Amino acid sequence: MEKKDFQFKTNLNCGGCVAKVQSDLNHAEGICEWNVDTTNSDKILTVQSDGATEEEIIAIIKSKGFKAEPLVI
């Protein structure tokens, strides 16, 4: 399957917020790698996907009480 990179504007403001989604993102099928730039004002979540869809990634973030909206790369 083709690898894709997705970016999302989030409200993951700090390490504690990132820690709340970390386990779910680490164990989600189809996510190879991810990181959050909490120093950026838009708190950009970058995900390298190997099968996970944009909608699935957003659902993971929302399930933990945070917001994520897609950015066009």
Side-chain angles (χ1 to χ4, degrees), residues 26-45:
N26 284 347
H27 295 102
E29 192 170 320
I31 294 179
C32 301
E33 196 175 307
W34 65 274
N35 72 332
V36 180
D37 183 359
T38 56
T39 62
N40 184 303
S41 63
D42 287 332
K43 312 303 180 201
I44 303 299
L45 166 65

Side-chain angles (χ1 to χ4, degrees), residues 54-68:
E54 202 170 67
E55 292 79 18
E56 290 170 332
I57 297 164
I58 291 170
I60 290 169
I61 301 303
K62 286 187 174 180
S63 75
K64 294 298 182 179
F66 298 100
K67 297 177 185 172

Side-chain angles (χ1 to χ4, degrees), residues 1-6 8 21-35 45-61:
M1 183 161 283
E2 178 186 344
K3 289 188 179 183
K4 286 187 174 182
D5 288 336
F6 296 114
F8 305 91
V21 300
Q22 181 173 5
S23 178
D24 291 57
L25 289 173
N26 284 347
H27 295 102
E29 192 170 320
I31 294 179
C32 301
E33 196 175 307
W34 65 274
N35 72 332
L45 166 65
T46 303
V47 177
Q48 186 179 64
S49 168
D50 191 12
T53 66
E54 202 170 67
E55 292 79 18
E56 290 170 332
I57 297 164
I58 291 170
I60 290 169
I61 301 303

